[in-house]
Amino acid sequence: MTGWLPAVGRFDASWLIGTFWDARWWVMGAAVAAVCVWLWARRWWLRRARTVLRDRAVVALVPAADFDPSLEEIERHAARLARVPAVVGWAPERALGVRIRLSSDEGRLSYRLEGPARAAALLRLRSFPDVDVVDPGAGNDEVPRIRFDGVPPLETDDHDGDEDA
């Protein structure tokens, strides 16, 4: 019964090599199974990230003309946005971000927040007293493009930075 134990007082690793040689198919099978489980988990995690990114909440904050926030109000708003990952819970990190877009429509500044749908209630909370929280309509889902009158659009193939054309 003690034949499988190493000899006391001297190092004999032949039993260890023999044991692994006898179990080589089990070890390879376990390695293949571990790789398959890892690939399945990675695919599931990426699919979850796509699902969370597809289902996002959008909230527009429209400030009043005399809007002048204090430093404390700005810090409170930033702390609220930093809590979004805790509200969403277990989700891929790439899907937890809050996007902030600033735009101007007819001279009024619009501050648009986009985040995970599970954090929609947190995004809709009023952070500032002089700011209206508005849910943007279905027609405003596309990203507004900024265009300047009399200026041609930039060409995408000019990467060398030379302006001597």
Side-chain angles (χ1 to χ4, degrees):
M1 189 78 186
T2 61
W4 62 276
L5 292 174
V8 177
R10 65 184 177 95
F11 182 70
D12 185 16
S14 62
W15 68 273
L16 185 62
I17 294 170
T19 303
F20 277 124
W21 183 254
D22 292 340
R24 67 186 180 272
W25 298 112
W26 288 102
V27 171
M28 285 193 306
V32 168
V35 168
C36 289
V37 166
W38 181 80
L39 288 173
W40 175 83
R42 178 170 166 74
R43 184 174 180 201
W44 175 82
W45 194 247
L46 290 174
R47 189 177 293 166
R48 176 147 167 78
R50 283 188 211 110
T51 302
V52 173
L53 284 171
R54 194 178 316 121
D55 189 29
R56 294 181 58 87
V58 179
V59 176
L61 306 176
V62 182
D66 59 344
F67 176 65
D68 187 22
S70 67
L71 186 58
E72 181 181 327
E73 290 173 331
I74 294 171
E75 288 175 353
R76 190 171 41 238
H77 181 68
R80 183 173 293 152
L81 293 179
R83 284 194 303 249
V84 166
V87 171
V88 173
W90 199 54
E93 187 174 333
R94 68 178 70 185
L96 295 177
V98 175
R99 179 179 288 159
I100 300 171
R101 292 188 182 179
L102 296 174
S103 63
S104 178
D105 184 27
E106 297 177 10
R108 289 193 70 188
L109 177 67
S110 176
Y111 184 85
R112 186 170 158 167
L113 299 174
E114 298 176 14
R118 292 186 68 181
L122 183 66
L123 295 175
R124 286 188 182 100
L125 287 176
R126 288 187 66 167
S127 298
F128 305 105
D130 296 337
V131 175
D132 294 328
V133 178
V134 180
D135 287 331
N140 296 336
D141 286 342
E142 71 179 59
V143 178
R145 301 281 182 191
I146 299 174
R147 302 191 191 275
F148 297 99
D149 291 336
V151 178
L154 294 175
E155 294 184 21
T156 57
D157 59 345
D158 186 19
H159 295 290
D160 58 357
D162 292 337
E163 296 180 14
D164 298 316

